[in-house]
Amino acid sequence: MKRLIIPSHVLNPEILKWAMNRKGMTIDEIARRSKVDVSKLQLFFEGKDAKLTLRQLERIVRALRIPYGYFLLREIPREPEIDIPDLRNNG
């Protein structure tokens, strides 16, 4: 079966940086959880052609717990700020 390689110009490496910061994960942790080589992730992180396959991208998405489509966005998604009142009783 032929592997489907995702063209690097389609994917946004800024999303990887954003998702890593959001989850508090390092490239090594993502590599371990997704079983994708650290060198490939580093290339992608730097905006270079990492030649990621569709399966590898799916594993990265699962490790980061973000929607697959986020990597196709041009900008980092804005998360709504939810103002939750503190209803705890201090008494």
Side-chain angles (χ1 to χ4, degrees):
M1 183 177 207
K2 194 172 181 177
R3 292 182 176 182
L4 179 62
I5 295 177
I6 309 295
S8 61
H9 69 276
V10 173
L11 304 174
N12 185 352
E14 293 300 315
I15 299 297
L16 176 62
K17 295 173 189 175
W18 166 79
M20 283 175 45
N21 289 333
R22 185 172 172 245
K23 291 290 182 185
M25 296 174 71
T26 64
I27 288 181
D28 292 329
E29 288 174 305
I30 295 168
R32 185 176 41 80
R33 288 185 185 192
S34 64
K35 297 178 183 166
V36 174
D37 190 52
V38 176
S39 60
K40 275 195 169 197
L41 282 174
Q42 188 66 41
L43 284 173
F44 180 61
F45 192 78
E46 295 170 358
K48 298 177 182 171
D49 190 8
K51 297 191 186 322
L52 291 172
T53 65
L54 181 59
R55 181 163 290 167
Q56 288 171 330
L57 188 60
E58 288 171 348
R59 289 182 191 155
I60 293 167
V61 164
R62 261 189 254 122
L64 291 169
R65 297 181 187 259
I66 61 171
Y68 175 79
Y70 275 21
F71 278 105
L72 303 175
L73 297 174
R74 293 286 167 221
E75 295 178 1
I76 295 171
R78 291 194 177 129
E79 295 181 289
E81 291 185 30
I82 302 172
D83 187 26
I84 300 174
D86 186 2
L87 300 175
R88 293 178 286 185
N89 190 356
N90 291 334

